[in-house]
Amino acid sequence: MNSKILVLGAGYIGQRIREAFDCNIWRERIVSFSSVQEAINKFKPGIIINCIGHSGRNVDDCERDLDKTLCSNAFVPVMLAEAAIRNKIKLIHISSGCIYRFDYKKDRPLAERKIPDFFSLFYSRSKIYSERALEILSDKFNILIIRIRIPLDNRPHPKNLLDKLIHYKKVIALANSVTYMPDFIRALRHLIRIDARGIYNVVNKGGLSYPDLMEIYRKYNPSFKYQVIDFKKLNIVRTNLLLSTKKLQQSGFTVRSTKEVLEECVEDYLKY
């Protein structure tokens, strides 16, 4: 058991990290500073990893429950940061890259230094609130903000992009940054080892056009059918964008391309 690390939040990401690091996990709700301190007093970690967050079945659920979204995605991370500072321990906050507008014709993959500018979804706004506060604190205190985006995993889970696309059977063809979860775990280990601070985009290099993933899945399941649709015709508000991996690479971590992991992902997924 790795007693140095305490994961807060027992959702998809939290459970994935707990399993990978064989560490303690706090499953109770964080509703006040005292509840944060209770967790720290019980486990006495050197690092707390915040995986608490609300996205619902999809980000539209955040619009239906603004209070829960604001508390989980904005207030809790700030309370955790203050607790980490007072207890002189490291905070790792699992954030989101869904906080930018992106023009595929003009923009290059977005670096961490770019100020977030996507406010059309309350989910995105709530993530921006906490990230901006934690980024400022990370200049002086031991705080690491990890941005992930559209988790893609090699094992079944409702939050796994592959599960979602198989279920929807309708996909868009815009290239998007994704986080391949086995590589996310490797990157997290690396960033802890080098005691990284500030913001890091933890995604795979390049973008994923969903039909590319579906074609690999169909190779193993020839009867599977899907339809490519125009995103504009969906008439929904979403972020579609590419994030830069340059900073993560410069830290000494080898970032695999999205294209490189797809076959491995599907092969492993089908073994479960």
Side-chain angles (χ1 to χ4, degrees), residues 165-166 169-170 214 218 221-227:
L165 296 181
I166 292 170
K169 295 186 179 180
K170 292 183 179 180
M214 292 293 87
R218 189 161 68 172
N221 294 270
S223 62
F224 178 76
K225 295 181 180 179
Y226 68 95
Q227 179 184 355

Side-chain angles (χ1 to χ4, degrees), residues 152 208 212-213 216 258-266:
L152 173 66
L208 171 63
D212 292 343
L213 178 58
I216 293 176
T258 301
K259 186 178 295 186
E260 186 179 350
V261 305
L262 297 185
E263 190 92 28
E264 169 192 314
C265 176
V266 173

Side-chain angles (χ1 to χ4, degrees), residues 6 26 33-45 48 83 87 89:
L6 173 62
W26 184 257
F33 184 88
S34 61
S35 58
V36 180
Q37 191 61 54
E38 179 186 354
I40 292 173
N41 289 344
K42 179 176 180 179
F43 292 106
K44 297 178 173 55
I48 54 176
N87 287 274
I89 58 180

Side-chain angles (χ1 to χ4, degrees), residues 21 144 146 179-194 196 201-203 248 251 253-255:
F21 285 81
L144 169 64
I146 292 180
T179 299
Y180 183 49
M181 293 306 295
D183 288 2
F184 162 76
I185 296 297
R186 290 174 48 245
L188 179 57
R189 290 188 191 280
H190 165 76
L191 292 170
I192 290 174
R193 187 168 58 252
I194 67 171
N201 296 332
V202 178
V203 296
L248 181 58
S251 76
F253 183 75
T254 300
V255 180

Side-chain angles (χ1 to χ4, degrees), residues 96-97 99-102 107-117 131-132 135 145 147 177 199-203 241-248 250:
S96 170
I99 52 176
Y100 292 111
R101 298 186 180 279
F102 191 81
D107 291 336
R108 293 184 173 185
L110 304 172
E112 290 83 350
R113 63 180 177 274
K114 180 175 172 58
I115 296 175
D117 59 1
E131 183 180 287
R132 295 293 284 158
E135 181 184 13
I145 302 117
R147 290 179 182 158
S177 283
I199 300 173
Y200 282 80
N201 296 332
V202 178
V203 296
L241 55 89
L242 299 172
L243 294 175
S244 171
T245 59
K246 186 176 181 180
K247 182 178 179 181
L248 181 58
Q250 289 177 338

Side-chain angles (χ1 to χ4, degrees), residues 9-222:
Y12 170 47
I13 302 296
Q15 292 284 14
R16 201 72 163 79
I17 294 173
R18 186 212 62 78
E19 176 188 333
F21 285 81
D22 187 27
C23 60
N24 292 308
I25 188 166
W26 184 257
R27 301 175 186 275
E28 307 298 322
R29 288 189 64 196
I30 299 293
V31 295
S32 64
F33 184 88
S34 61
S35 58
V36 180
Q37 191 61 54
E38 179 186 354
I40 292 173
N41 289 344
K42 179 176 180 179
F43 292 106
K44 297 178 173 55
I47 299 171
I48 54 176
I49 303 179
N50 178 36
C51 301
I52 296 169
H54 179 60
S55 60
R57 291 168 300 175
N58 58 53
V59 292
D60 293 330
D61 279 354
C62 295
E63 309 292 331
R64 302 183 186 100
D65 195 339
L66 301 181
D67 290 348
K68 183 176 182 180
T69 303
L70 190 63
C71 181
S72 298
N73 296 356
F75 295 165
V76 167
V78 173
M79 284 193 292
L80 293 177
E82 183 60 26
I85 291 168
R86 294 187 194 184
N87 287 274
K88 295 181 173 57
I89 58 180
K90 184 182 186 72
L91 169 65
I92 300 175
H93 173 59
I94 307 301
S95 188
S96 170
C98 299
I99 52 176
Y100 292 111
R101 298 186 180 279
F102 191 81
D103 187 330
Y104 283 88
K105 294 181 179 178
K106 296 188 301 183
D107 291 336
R108 293 184 173 185
L110 304 172
E112 290 83 350
R113 63 180 177 274
K114 180 175 172 58
I115 296 175
D117 59 1
F118 184 77
F119 307 108
S120 300
L121 286 171
F122 189 71
Y123 169 81
S124 298
R125 295 208 303 275
S126 69
K127 289 293 188 178
I128 292 170
Y129 295 153
S130 56
E131 183 180 287
R132 295 293 284 158
L134 267 57
E135 181 184 13
I136 293 170
L137 290 171
S138 71
D139 286 340
K140 185 174 181 180
F141 301 103
N142 198 347
I143 295 175
L144 169 64
I145 302 117
I146 292 180
R147 290 179 182 158
I148 64 172
R149 192 151 189 283
I150 315 181
L152 173 66
D153 211 342
N154 62 347
R155 59 182 70 178
H157 191 282
K159 293 286 188 180
N160 179 2
L161 173 63
L162 183 52
D163 280 74
K164 292 179 179 181
L165 296 181
I166 292 170
H167 173 73
Y168 292 151
K169 295 186 179 180
K170 292 183 179 180
V171 303
I172 61 173
L174 286 173
N176 268 285
S177 283
V178 299
T179 299
Y180 183 49
M181 293 306 295
D183 288 2
F184 162 76
I185 296 297
R186 290 174 48 245
L188 179 57
R189 290 188 191 280
H190 165 76
L191 292 170
I192 290 174
R193 187 168 58 252
I194 67 171
D195 196 24
R197 301 185 184 192
I199 300 173
Y200 282 80
N201 296 332
V202 178
V203 296
N204 289 81
K205 194 184 305 181
L208 171 63
S209 180
Y210 297 160
D212 292 343
L213 178 58
M214 292 293 87
E215 280 301 306
I216 293 176
Y217 181 77
R218 189 161 68 172
K219 185 171 76 173
Y220 294 91
N221 294 270

